[in-house]
Amino acid sequence: VQLQASGGGLVQAGGSLRLSCAFSGDSGNIFSDYAMGWFRQAPGKEREFVAAISWSGGSTYYADSVKGRFTISRDNAKNTVYLQMNSLKPEDTAVYYCAAGWLVAGQPREYDYWGQGTLVTVSS
C-alpha cells in the first residue's frame, strides 16, 4: 500500500485548503476495505489526530480542535480521501499525514500505512 498526500501550502488565517490522499495497492489491498485518518505534526510536538472516516464514509470523527472547520470525505471510486480545511488558524500549521488502517481510530498506532506528509502553513 502506498499513500500520496498533496494539497498543502501557504494560506492566510481564515483561508481554506483541501488536502488529498491517493491510495494505491495491489489486489489484496483495496481502498474501500480501509478506514482512513488524517493526523498532523507541528514542529516540536507529537503527532496528533485530526479526523478519521470509516471504509464506507458513513462515519466520521474529528478532534475537538478542528470540529466544525474541517471535513473529511472519501471517494472510493477514485481511491482518494480528502480533508477540507476552512477557517484556518495559525495553530493549524503542521505537516499533515494521511493513514490507512482497519479501525476508525484516533491513535497513530492503530494505522498500518502512512503517507509522506504535506506541509500546511497558516500565516497570521
Side-chain angles (χ1 to χ4, degrees):
V1 171
Q2 291 185 328
L3 301 174
Q4 181 71 42
S6 62
L10 174 64
V11 63
Q12 289 188 333
S16 299
L17 281 175
R18 188 176 83 154
L19 305 183
S20 300
C21 176
F23 174 105
S24 60
D26 58 24
S27 58
N29 291 285
I30 301 171
F31 179 64
S32 58
D33 285 343
Y34 288 90
M36 299 296 296
W38 285 98
F39 291 77
R40 66 187 181 187
Q41 188 166 17
K45 295 187 176 182
E46 292 187 352
R47 192 167 298 190
E48 66 172 359
F49 170 73
V50 175
I53 188 167
S54 62
W55 65 271
S56 67
S59 298
T60 56
Y61 304 90
Y62 298 92
D64 288 343
S65 59
V66 306
K67 202 171 292 182
R69 299 187 298 123
F70 291 10
T71 302
I72 189 171
S73 62
R74 66 190 296 160
D75 186 337
N76 285 347
K78 295 182 177 180
N79 288 356
T80 302
V81 63
Y82 305 97
L83 185 68
Q84 177 67 44
M85 305 186 296
N86 299 329
S87 302
L88 282 161
K89 305 175 181 180
E91 51 264 43
D92 294 318
T93 295
V95 177
Y96 283 71
Y97 298 90
C98 58
W102 294 111
L103 300 175
V104 181
Q107 294 296 323
R109 64 176 179 267
E110 298 293 343
Y111 291 84
D112 300 306
Y113 304 101
W114 291 83
Q116 86 290 357
T118 185
L119 177 62
V120 173
T121 303
V122 184
S123 62
S124 57

